[in-house]
mmCIF file of all heavy atoms in Angstrom:
data_model
loop_
_atom_site.group_PDB
_atom_site.id
_atom_site.type_symbol
_atom_site.label_atom_id
_atom_site.label_comp_id
_atom_site.label_asym_id
_atom_site.label_seq_id
_atom_site.Cartn_x
_atom_site.Cartn_y
_atom_site.Cartn_z
ATOM 1 N N GLY A 1 22.224 -10.714 4.680
ATOM 2 C CA GLY A 1 21.914 -9.597 3.805
ATOM 3 C C GLY A 1 20.899 -8.618 4.313
ATOM 4 O O GLY A 1 20.223 -8.935 5.367
ATOM 5 N N LYS A 2 20.689 -7.465 3.636
ATOM 6 C CA LYS A 2 19.866 -6.412 4.145
ATOM 7 C C LYS A 2 18.893 -5.946 3.061
ATOM 8 O O LYS A 2 19.326 -5.764 1.869
ATOM 9 C CB LYS A 2 20.645 -5.274 4.658
ATOM 10 C CG LYS A 2 21.648 -5.536 5.740
ATOM 11 C CD LYS A 2 22.529 -4.288 6.051
ATOM 12 C CE LYS A 2 23.592 -4.585 7.073
ATOM 13 N NZ LYS A 2 24.486 -3.423 7.281
ATOM 14 N N ILE A 3 17.669 -5.617 3.450
ATOM 15 C CA ILE A 3 16.755 -4.805 2.688
ATOM 16 C C ILE A 3 16.907 -3.384 3.234
ATOM 17 O O ILE A 3 16.589 -3.206 4.429
ATOM 18 C CB ILE A 3 15.365 -5.331 2.713
ATOM 19 C CG1 ILE A 3 15.289 -6.690 1.973
ATOM 20 C CG2 ILE A 3 14.364 -4.288 2.117
ATOM 21 C CD1 ILE A 3 13.926 -7.328 2.038
ATOM 22 N N VAL A 4 17.254 -2.418 2.455
ATOM 23 C CA VAL A 4 17.469 -1.057 2.852
ATOM 24 C C VAL A 4 16.501 -0.153 2.071
ATOM 25 O O VAL A 4 16.568 -0.112 0.833
ATOM 26 C CB VAL A 4 18.913 -0.656 2.613
ATOM 27 C CG1 VAL A 4 19.093 0.845 3.101
ATOM 28 C CG2 VAL A 4 19.890 -1.592 3.256
ATOM 29 N N LYS A 5 15.655 0.550 2.790
ATOM 30 C CA LYS A 5 14.591 1.252 2.108
ATOM 31 C C LYS A 5 14.415 2.651 2.580
ATOM 32 O O LYS A 5 14.594 2.985 3.815
ATOM 33 C CB LYS A 5 13.206 0.474 2.263
ATOM 34 C CG LYS A 5 13.207 -0.901 1.708
ATOM 35 C CD LYS A 5 13.291 -0.917 0.217
ATOM 36 C CE LYS A 5 13.286 -2.338 -0.335
ATOM 37 N NZ LYS A 5 13.455 -2.416 -1.814
ATOM 38 N N ILE A 6 13.901 3.553 1.704
ATOM 39 C CA ILE A 6 13.406 4.870 2.011
ATOM 40 C C ILE A 6 12.010 4.881 1.514
ATOM 41 O O ILE A 6 11.729 4.565 0.311
ATOM 42 C CB ILE A 6 14.247 6.003 1.410
ATOM 43 C CG1 ILE A 6 15.709 5.981 1.890
ATOM 44 C CG2 ILE A 6 13.588 7.337 1.654
ATOM 45 C CD1 ILE A 6 16.605 6.951 1.215
ATOM 46 N N ILE A 7 11.057 5.263 2.351
ATOM 47 C CA ILE A 7 9.624 5.330 1.931
ATOM 48 C C ILE A 7 9.022 6.612 2.437
ATOM 49 O O ILE A 7 9.498 7.196 3.378
ATOM 50 C CB ILE A 7 8.843 4.128 2.507
ATOM 51 C CG1 ILE A 7 8.868 4.125 4.043
ATOM 52 C CG2 ILE A 7 9.293 2.776 1.879
ATOM 53 C CD1 ILE A 7 8.022 3.029 4.693
ATOM 54 N N PRO A 8 7.975 7.114 1.748
ATOM 55 C CA PRO A 8 7.326 8.369 2.216
ATOM 56 C C PRO A 8 6.548 8.167 3.497
ATOM 57 O O PRO A 8 5.938 7.132 3.690
ATOM 58 C CB PRO A 8 6.372 8.763 0.999
ATOM 59 C CG PRO A 8 6.111 7.415 0.423
ATOM 60 C CD PRO A 8 7.347 6.542 0.511
ATOM 61 N N TYR A 9 6.634 9.138 4.343
ATOM 62 C CA TYR A 9 5.880 9.165 5.596
ATOM 63 C C TYR A 9 4.601 9.900 5.342
ATOM 64 O O TYR A 9 4.500 10.983 4.805
ATOM 65 C CB TYR A 9 6.594 9.938 6.667
ATOM 66 C CG TYR A 9 5.972 10.118 7.996
ATOM 67 C CD1 TYR A 9 5.322 9.032 8.621
ATOM 68 C CD2 TYR A 9 5.873 11.344 8.647
ATOM 69 C CE1 TYR A 9 4.623 9.196 9.839
ATOM 70 C CE2 TYR A 9 5.246 11.528 9.842
ATOM 71 C CZ TYR A 9 4.657 10.453 10.435
ATOM 72 O OH TYR A 9 3.974 10.648 11.608
ATOM 73 N N ILE A 10 3.477 9.294 5.750
ATOM 74 C CA ILE A 10 2.139 9.794 5.383
ATOM 75 C C ILE A 10 1.906 11.235 5.764
ATOM 76 O O ILE A 10 1.191 11.940 5.062
ATOM 77 C CB ILE A 10 1.011 8.843 5.959
ATOM 78 C CG1 ILE A 10 -0.365 9.227 5.493
ATOM 79 C CG2 ILE A 10 1.057 8.873 7.516
ATOM 80 C CD1 ILE A 10 -1.440 8.260 5.891
ATOM 81 N N ALA A 11 2.438 11.619 6.939
ATOM 82 C CA ALA A 11 2.259 13.038 7.371
ATOM 83 C C ALA A 11 3.278 13.974 6.848
ATOM 84 O O ALA A 11 3.263 15.144 7.164
ATOM 85 C CB ALA A 11 2.183 13.055 8.835
ATOM 86 N N GLY A 12 4.216 13.445 6.048
ATOM 87 C CA GLY A 12 5.325 14.283 5.519
ATOM 88 C C GLY A 12 5.240 14.616 4.061
ATOM 89 O O GLY A 12 6.079 15.324 3.513
ATOM 90 N N CYS A 13 4.168 14.103 3.382
ATOM 91 C CA CYS A 13 4.035 14.326 1.973
ATOM 92 C C CYS A 13 2.529 14.468 1.602
ATOM 93 O O CYS A 13 1.734 14.556 2.485
ATOM 94 C CB CYS A 13 4.701 13.149 1.193
ATOM 95 S SG CYS A 13 3.947 11.529 1.444
ATOM 96 N N GLY A 14 2.180 14.327 0.342
ATOM 97 C CA GLY A 14 0.820 14.467 -0.119
ATOM 98 C C GLY A 14 -0.082 13.288 0.380
ATOM 99 O O GLY A 14 -1.246 13.400 0.231
ATOM 100 N N ASP A 15 0.532 12.267 0.915
ATOM 101 C CA ASP A 15 -0.253 11.159 1.414
ATOM 102 C C ASP A 15 -1.115 11.485 2.620
ATOM 103 O O ASP A 15 -1.996 10.689 3.012
ATOM 104 C CB ASP A 15 0.617 10.006 1.762
ATOM 105 C CG ASP A 15 1.191 9.269 0.590
ATOM 106 O OD1 ASP A 15 0.755 9.583 -0.535
ATOM 107 O OD2 ASP A 15 2.139 8.422 0.711
ATOM 108 N N TYR A 16 -0.937 12.674 3.169
ATOM 109 C CA TYR A 16 -1.708 13.111 4.362
ATOM 110 C C TYR A 16 -3.240 13.026 4.076
ATOM 111 O O TYR A 16 -4.007 13.015 5.053
ATOM 112 C CB TYR A 16 -1.298 14.464 4.835
ATOM 113 C CG TYR A 16 -1.750 15.658 3.960
ATOM 114 C CD1 TYR A 16 -3.013 16.177 4.171
ATOM 115 C CD2 TYR A 16 -0.999 16.106 2.923
ATOM 116 C CE1 TYR A 16 -3.483 17.241 3.402
ATOM 117 C CE2 TYR A 16 -1.453 17.165 2.164
ATOM 118 C CZ TYR A 16 -2.700 17.713 2.381
ATOM 119 O OH TYR A 16 -3.105 18.724 1.578
ATOM 120 N N ARG A 17 -3.596 13.035 2.839
ATOM 121 C CA ARG A 17 -5.040 13.003 2.536
ATOM 122 C C ARG A 17 -5.615 11.556 2.689
ATOM 123 O O ARG A 17 -6.864 11.424 2.784
ATOM 124 C CB ARG A 17 -5.204 13.364 1.049
ATOM 125 C CG ARG A 17 -4.792 14.764 0.685
ATOM 126 C CD ARG A 17 -4.942 15.014 -0.805
ATOM 127 N NE ARG A 17 -4.612 16.359 -1.214
ATOM 128 C CZ ARG A 17 -3.376 16.805 -1.485
ATOM 129 N NH1 ARG A 17 -2.342 15.959 -1.387
ATOM 130 N NH2 ARG A 17 -3.180 18.034 -1.884
ATOM 131 N N ASN A 18 -4.767 10.617 2.813
ATOM 132 C CA ASN A 18 -5.197 9.168 2.976
ATOM 133 C C ASN A 18 -5.050 8.812 4.464
ATOM 134 O O ASN A 18 -4.745 9.625 5.290
ATOM 135 C CB ASN A 18 -4.365 8.261 2.079
ATOM 136 C CG ASN A 18 -4.715 8.493 0.648
ATOM 137 O OD1 ASN A 18 -3.992 9.305 -0.044
ATOM 138 N ND2 ASN A 18 -5.586 7.790 0.127
ATOM 139 N N ARG A 19 -5.273 7.545 4.709
ATOM 140 C CA ARG A 19 -5.138 6.949 5.993
ATOM 141 C C ARG A 19 -4.018 5.856 5.989
ATOM 142 O O ARG A 19 -3.819 5.239 4.911
ATOM 143 C CB ARG A 19 -6.478 6.385 6.617
ATOM 144 C CG ARG A 19 -7.570 7.365 6.640
ATOM 145 C CD ARG A 19 -7.282 8.380 7.727
ATOM 146 N NE ARG A 19 -8.335 9.413 7.830
ATOM 147 C CZ ARG A 19 -8.414 10.569 7.215
ATOM 148 N NH1 ARG A 19 -7.292 10.897 6.473
ATOM 149 N NH2 ARG A 19 -9.386 11.345 7.367
ATOM 150 N N PRO A 20 -3.369 5.600 7.122
ATOM 151 C CA PRO A 20 -2.325 4.549 7.090
ATOM 152 C C PRO A 20 -2.955 3.196 6.667
ATOM 153 O O PRO A 20 -4.024 2.837 7.074
ATOM 154 C CB PRO A 20 -1.864 4.513 8.497
ATOM 155 C CG PRO A 20 -2.169 5.845 9.071
ATOM 156 C CD PRO A 20 -3.417 6.272 8.376
ATOM 157 N N THR A 21 -2.233 2.491 5.857
ATOM 158 C CA THR A 21 -2.716 1.124 5.372
ATOM 159 C C THR A 21 -2.706 0.201 6.505
ATOM 160 O O THR A 21 -1.809 0.114 7.295
ATOM 161 C CB THR A 21 -1.798 0.601 4.256
ATOM 162 O OG1 THR A 21 -1.732 1.628 3.213
ATOM 163 C CG2 THR A 21 -2.322 -0.682 3.696
ATOM 164 N N ALA A 22 -3.791 -0.634 6.589
ATOM 165 C CA ALA A 22 -3.881 -1.625 7.630
ATOM 166 C C ALA A 22 -3.165 -2.898 7.281
ATOM 167 O O ALA A 22 -3.037 -3.345 6.141
ATOM 168 C CB ALA A 22 -5.422 -1.954 7.826
ATOM 169 N N LEU A 23 -2.528 -3.499 8.291
ATOM 170 C CA LEU A 23 -1.792 -4.749 8.106
ATOM 171 C C LEU A 23 -2.772 -5.825 7.528
ATOM 172 O O LEU A 23 -2.343 -6.614 6.676
ATOM 173 C CB LEU A 23 -1.263 -5.226 9.453
ATOM 174 C CG LEU A 23 -0.504 -6.614 9.416
ATOM 175 C CD1 LEU A 23 0.640 -6.545 8.493
ATOM 176 C CD2 LEU A 23 -0.137 -7.017 10.800
ATOM 177 N N SER A 24 -4.012 -5.823 7.918
ATOM 178 C CA SER A 24 -5.000 -6.781 7.359
ATOM 179 C C SER A 24 -5.117 -6.662 5.903
ATOM 180 O O SER A 24 -5.266 -7.630 5.190
ATOM 181 C CB SER A 24 -6.342 -6.574 8.020
ATOM 182 O OG SER A 24 -6.858 -5.239 7.778
ATOM 183 N N TRP A 25 -4.981 -5.443 5.340
ATOM 184 C CA TRP A 25 -5.066 -5.244 3.893
ATOM 185 C C TRP A 25 -3.821 -5.896 3.208
ATOM 186 O O TRP A 25 -3.922 -6.536 2.238
ATOM 187 C CB TRP A 25 -5.204 -3.801 3.493
ATOM 188 C CG TRP A 25 -5.549 -3.520 2.082
ATOM 189 C CD1 TRP A 25 -6.746 -3.509 1.506
ATOM 190 C CD2 TRP A 25 -4.612 -3.281 1.026
ATOM 191 N NE1 TRP A 25 -6.648 -3.186 0.165
ATOM 192 C CE2 TRP A 25 -5.349 -3.089 -0.160
ATOM 193 C CE3 TRP A 25 -3.206 -3.175 0.968
ATOM 194 C CZ2 TRP A 25 -4.733 -2.802 -1.356
ATOM 195 C CZ3 TRP A 25 -2.562 -2.944 -0.261
ATOM 196 C CH2 TRP A 25 -3.332 -2.794 -1.412
ATOM 197 N N TRP A 26 -2.629 -5.652 3.788
ATOM 198 C CA TRP A 26 -1.417 -6.238 3.277
ATOM 199 C C TRP A 26 -1.476 -7.779 3.321
ATOM 200 O O TRP A 26 -1.056 -8.408 2.433
ATOM 201 C CB TRP A 26 -0.209 -5.679 4.017
ATOM 202 C CG TRP A 26 0.191 -4.290 3.725
ATOM 203 C CD1 TRP A 26 0.086 -3.679 2.500
ATOM 204 C CD2 TRP A 26 0.678 -3.346 4.646
ATOM 205 N NE1 TRP A 26 0.557 -2.343 2.636
ATOM 206 C CE2 TRP A 26 0.909 -2.141 3.894
ATOM 207 C CE3 TRP A 26 0.978 -3.367 5.995
ATOM 208 C CZ2 TRP A 26 1.435 -0.985 4.539
ATOM 209 C CZ3 TRP A 26 1.526 -2.210 6.584
ATOM 210 C CH2 TRP A 26 1.728 -1.063 5.855
ATOM 211 N N LEU A 27 -2.022 -8.267 4.374
ATOM 212 C CA LEU A 27 -2.145 -9.736 4.602
ATOM 213 C C LEU A 27 -3.043 -10.332 3.484
ATOM 214 O O LEU A 27 -2.799 -11.417 3.000
ATOM 215 C CB LEU A 27 -2.494 -10.140 5.917
ATOM 216 C CG LEU A 27 -1.530 -9.860 7.051
ATOM 217 C CD1 LEU A 27 -2.210 -10.020 8.446
ATOM 218 C CD2 LEU A 27 -0.366 -10.853 6.931
ATOM 219 N N GLU A 28 -4.118 -9.525 3.189
ATOM 220 C CA GLU A 28 -5.032 -10.097 2.179
ATOM 221 C C GLU A 28 -4.406 -10.086 0.809
ATOM 222 O O GLU A 28 -4.598 -11.025 0.002
ATOM 223 C CB GLU A 28 -6.341 -9.216 2.225
ATOM 224 C CG GLU A 28 -7.407 -9.670 1.137
ATOM 225 C CD GLU A 28 -7.961 -10.998 1.396
ATOM 226 O OE1 GLU A 28 -7.775 -11.567 2.477
ATOM 227 O OE2 GLU A 28 -8.663 -11.539 0.428
ATOM 228 N N GLU A 29 -3.642 -9.050 0.500
ATOM 229 C CA GLU A 29 -2.879 -8.990 -0.731
ATOM 230 C C GLU A 29 -1.978 -10.226 -0.852
ATOM 231 O O GLU A 29 -1.743 -10.777 -1.880
ATOM 232 C CB GLU A 29 -2.178 -7.709 -0.877
ATOM 233 C CG GLU A 29 -3.021 -6.502 -1.157
ATOM 234 C CD GLU A 29 -3.718 -6.509 -2.490
ATOM 235 O OE1 GLU A 29 -3.002 -6.518 -3.503
ATOM 236 O OE2 GLU A 29 -4.939 -6.701 -2.537
ATOM 237 N N TYR A 30 -1.297 -10.432 0.272
ATOM 238 C CA TYR A 30 -0.326 -11.574 0.344
ATOM 239 C C TYR A 30 -1.066 -12.893 0.120
ATOM 240 O O TYR A 30 -0.594 -13.829 -0.593
ATOM 241 C CB TYR A 30 0.396 -11.542 1.634
ATOM 242 C CG TYR A 30 1.362 -12.633 1.904
ATOM 243 C CD1 TYR A 30 2.396 -12.905 0.977
ATOM 244 C CD2 TYR A 30 1.324 -13.439 3.023
ATOM 245 C CE1 TYR A 30 3.376 -13.899 1.185
ATOM 246 C CE2 TYR A 30 2.327 -14.403 3.233
ATOM 247 C CZ TYR A 30 3.267 -14.665 2.365
ATOM 248 O OH TYR A 30 4.278 -15.657 2.569
ATOM 249 N N ARG A 31 -2.201 -13.075 0.692
ATOM 250 C CA ARG A 31 -3.013 -14.275 0.545
ATOM 251 C C ARG A 31 -3.381 -14.503 -0.887
ATOM 252 O O ARG A 31 -3.390 -15.622 -1.397
ATOM 253 C CB ARG A 31 -4.277 -14.282 1.456
ATOM 254 C CG ARG A 31 -5.116 -15.519 1.427
ATOM 255 C CD ARG A 31 -6.436 -15.303 2.102
ATOM 256 N NE ARG A 31 -7.324 -14.392 1.368
ATOM 257 C CZ ARG A 31 -7.971 -14.780 0.268
ATOM 258 N NH1 ARG A 31 -7.890 -15.956 -0.272
ATOM 259 N NH2 ARG A 31 -8.737 -13.892 -0.427
ATOM 260 N N LYS A 32 -3.729 -13.449 -1.556
ATOM 261 C CA LYS A 32 -4.197 -13.528 -2.966
ATOM 262 C C LYS A 32 -2.950 -13.799 -3.882
ATOM 263 O O LYS A 32 -3.149 -14.314 -4.971
ATOM 264 C CB LYS A 32 -4.848 -12.239 -3.467
ATOM 265 C CG LYS A 32 -6.132 -12.005 -2.755
ATOM 266 C CD LYS A 32 -6.770 -10.626 -3.121
ATOM 267 C CE LYS A 32 -8.086 -10.329 -2.486
ATOM 268 N NZ LYS A 32 -8.650 -9.024 -2.816
ATOM 269 N N GLY A 33 -1.779 -13.517 -3.419
ATOM 270 C CA GLY A 33 -0.565 -13.783 -4.135
ATOM 271 C C GLY A 33 -0.363 -13.014 -5.420
ATOM 272 O O GLY A 33 0.358 -13.432 -6.310
ATOM 273 N N ARG A 34 -1.008 -11.882 -5.542
ATOM 274 C CA ARG A 34 -0.909 -11.104 -6.805
ATOM 275 C C ARG A 34 0.114 -9.988 -6.706
ATOM 276 O O ARG A 34 0.357 -9.422 -5.623
ATOM 277 C CB ARG A 34 -2.291 -10.527 -7.184
ATOM 278 C CG ARG A 34 -2.859 -9.599 -6.140
ATOM 279 C CD ARG A 34 -4.219 -9.159 -6.553
ATOM 280 N NE ARG A 34 -4.833 -8.258 -5.554
ATOM 281 C CZ ARG A 34 -6.119 -7.783 -5.713
ATOM 282 N NH1 ARG A 34 -6.844 -8.113 -6.737
ATOM 283 N NH2 ARG A 34 -6.578 -6.905 -4.771
ATOM 284 N N PHE A 35 0.724 -9.688 -7.845
ATOM 285 C CA PHE A 35 1.758 -8.623 -7.981
ATOM 286 C C PHE A 35 1.378 -7.587 -9.002
ATOM 287 O O PHE A 35 2.027 -6.584 -9.065
ATOM 288 C CB PHE A 35 3.147 -9.235 -8.330
ATOM 289 C CG PHE A 35 3.685 -10.048 -7.184
ATOM 290 C CD1 PHE A 35 3.504 -11.411 -7.150
ATOM 291 C CD2 PHE A 35 4.494 -9.480 -6.197
ATOM 292 C CE1 PHE A 35 4.078 -12.247 -6.164
ATOM 293 C CE2 PHE A 35 5.019 -10.280 -5.201
ATOM 294 C CZ PHE A 35 4.823 -11.642 -5.166
ATOM 295 N N LYS A 36 0.335 -7.874 -9.755
ATOM 296 C CA LYS A 36 -0.072 -6.902 -10.809
ATOM 297 C C LYS A 36 -1.127 -5.941 -10.267
ATOM 298 O O LYS A 36 -2.124 -6.407 -9.675
ATOM 299 C CB LYS A 36 -0.612 -7.700 -12.050
ATOM 300 C CG LYS A 36 -0.869 -6.823 -13.228
ATOM 301 C CD LYS A 36 -1.268 -7.699 -14.420
ATOM 302 C CE LYS A 36 -1.495 -6.803 -15.668
ATOM 303 N NZ LYS A 36 -1.894 -7.579 -16.816
ATOM 304 N N GLU A 37 -0.958 -4.707 -10.519
ATOM 305 C CA GLU A 37 -1.880 -3.691 -10.014
ATOM 306 C C GLU A 37 -3.253 -3.797 -10.742
ATOM 307 O O GLU A 37 -3.320 -4.152 -11.897
ATOM 308 C CB GLU A 37 -1.298 -2.330 -10.153
ATOM 309 C CG GLU A 37 -0.972 -1.891 -11.551
ATOM 310 C CD GLU A 37 -0.056 -0.753 -11.678
ATOM 311 O OE1 GLU A 37 1.057 -0.819 -11.181
ATOM 312 O OE2 GLU A 37 -0.497 0.307 -12.195
ATOM 313 N N THR A 38 -4.270 -3.394 -9.977
ATOM 314 C CA THR A 38 -5.611 -3.362 -10.520
ATOM 315 C C THR A 38 -6.206 -1.990 -10.255
ATOM 316 O O THR A 38 -5.623 -1.117 -9.550
ATOM 317 C CB THR A 38 -6.535 -4.426 -9.850
ATOM 318 O OG1 THR A 38 -6.720 -4.100 -8.520
ATOM 319 C CG2 THR A 38 -5.877 -5.817 -9.969
ATOM 320 N N LEU A 39 -7.358 -1.765 -10.736
ATOM 321 C CA LEU A 39 -8.065 -0.474 -10.447
ATOM 322 C C LEU A 39 -8.249 -0.260 -8.997
ATOM 323 O O LEU A 39 -8.170 0.841 -8.517
ATOM 324 C CB LEU A 39 -9.443 -0.473 -11.189
ATOM 325 C CG LEU A 39 -10.205 0.842 -11.168
ATOM 326 C CD1 LEU A 39 -9.455 1.992 -11.926
ATOM 327 C CD2 LEU A 39 -11.560 0.666 -11.759
ATOM 328 N N GLU A 40 -8.515 -1.340 -8.293
ATOM 329 C CA GLU A 40 -8.673 -1.284 -6.816
ATOM 330 C C GLU A 40 -7.510 -0.672 -6.101
ATOM 331 O O GLU A 40 -7.671 0.079 -5.144
ATOM 332 C CB GLU A 40 -8.938 -2.708 -6.284
ATOM 333 C CG GLU A 40 -9.004 -2.857 -4.771
ATOM 334 C CD GLU A 40 -8.964 -4.228 -4.301
ATOM 335 O OE1 GLU A 40 -8.875 -5.153 -5.178
ATOM 336 O OE2 GLU A 40 -8.939 -4.439 -3.089
ATOM 337 N N HIS A 41 -6.350 -0.903 -6.600
ATOM 338 C CA HIS A 41 -5.127 -0.386 -5.952
ATOM 339 C C HIS A 41 -5.000 1.086 -6.234
ATOM 340 O O HIS A 41 -4.405 1.788 -5.418
ATOM 341 C CB HIS A 41 -3.884 -1.136 -6.560
ATOM 342 C CG HIS A 41 -3.843 -2.609 -6.191
ATOM 343 N ND1 HIS A 41 -4.115 -3.592 -7.099
ATOM 344 C CD2 HIS A 41 -3.673 -3.233 -5.010
ATOM 345 C CE1 HIS A 41 -4.041 -4.783 -6.550
ATOM 346 N NE2 HIS A 41 -3.749 -4.545 -5.267
ATOM 347 N N HIS A 42 -5.509 1.594 -7.365
ATOM 348 C CA HIS A 42 -5.324 3.034 -7.683
ATOM 349 C C HIS A 42 -6.413 3.894 -6.947
ATOM 350 O O HIS A 42 -6.234 5.078 -6.821
ATOM 351 C CB HIS A 42 -5.417 3.239 -9.159
ATOM 352 C CG HIS A 42 -4.263 2.796 -10.013
ATOM 353 N ND1 HIS A 42 -3.175 3.667 -10.168
ATOM 354 C CD2 HIS A 42 -3.998 1.663 -10.645
ATOM 355 C CE1 HIS A 42 -2.252 2.943 -10.929
ATOM 356 N NE2 HIS A 42 -2.769 1.844 -11.209
ATOM 357 N N GLU A 43 -7.514 3.309 -6.599
ATOM 358 C CA GLU A 43 -8.656 4.029 -6.089
ATOM 359 C C GLU A 43 -8.327 4.933 -4.861
ATOM 360 O O GLU A 43 -8.691 6.076 -4.843
ATOM 361 C CB GLU A 43 -9.804 3.066 -5.806
ATOM 362 C CG GLU A 43 -10.598 2.622 -7.031
ATOM 363 C CD GLU A 43 -11.461 3.765 -7.626
ATOM 364 O OE1 GLU A 43 -11.480 4.854 -7.081
ATOM 365 O OE2 GLU A 43 -12.093 3.549 -8.652
ATOM 366 N N PRO A 44 -7.710 4.353 -3.761
ATOM 367 C CA PRO A 44 -7.465 5.198 -2.634
ATOM 368 C C PRO A 44 -6.653 6.468 -2.872
ATOM 369 O O PRO A 44 -6.940 7.566 -2.405
ATOM 370 C CB PRO A 44 -6.769 4.277 -1.618
ATOM 371 C CG PRO A 44 -7.134 2.938 -2.057
ATOM 372 C CD PRO A 44 -7.264 2.996 -3.525
ATOM 373 N N TYR A 45 -5.623 6.317 -3.715
ATOM 374 C CA TYR A 45 -4.724 7.460 -4.058
ATOM 375 C C TYR A 45 -5.519 8.433 -4.897
ATOM 376 O O TYR A 45 -5.469 9.656 -4.644
ATOM 377 C CB TYR A 45 -3.538 6.949 -4.797
ATOM 378 C CG TYR A 45 -2.486 7.953 -5.212
ATOM 379 C CD1 TYR A 45 -1.468 8.292 -4.349
ATOM 380 C CD2 TYR A 45 -2.570 8.538 -6.473
ATOM 381 C CE1 TYR A 45 -0.524 9.228 -4.725
ATOM 382 C CE2 TYR A 45 -1.620 9.449 -6.813
ATOM 383 C CZ TYR A 45 -0.603 9.849 -5.977
ATOM 384 O OH TYR A 45 0.298 10.799 -6.291
#
């Protein structure tokens, strides 16, 4: 099977104001095992 995705490119949309997300941040989220958003997730945007 396949996961097929379209995602925004940081330099192609309003995300240019931010910085690319670090793999270490994604790994920490994975370690915590959480799926519910918090205030921390909204802050960078």
Side-chain angles (χ1 to χ4, degrees):
K2 302 173 183 177
I3 291 175
V4 182
K5 300 291 181 186
I6 299 174
I7 58 175
Y9 175 50
I10 187 171
C13 64
D15 287 349
Y16 74 87
R17 298 175 177 86
N18 292 90
R19 300 292 180 265
T21 305
L23 177 62
S24 59
W25 191 87
W26 286 324
L27 289 171
E28 179 63 15
E29 289 293 296
Y30 180 53
R31 184 191 67 78
K32 293 175 181 176
R34 60 185 180 182
F35 291 92
K36 189 175 181 180
E37 62 197 60
T38 67
L39 187 65
E40 173 192 359
H41 296 106
H42 287 277
E43 282 288 359
Y45 181 88

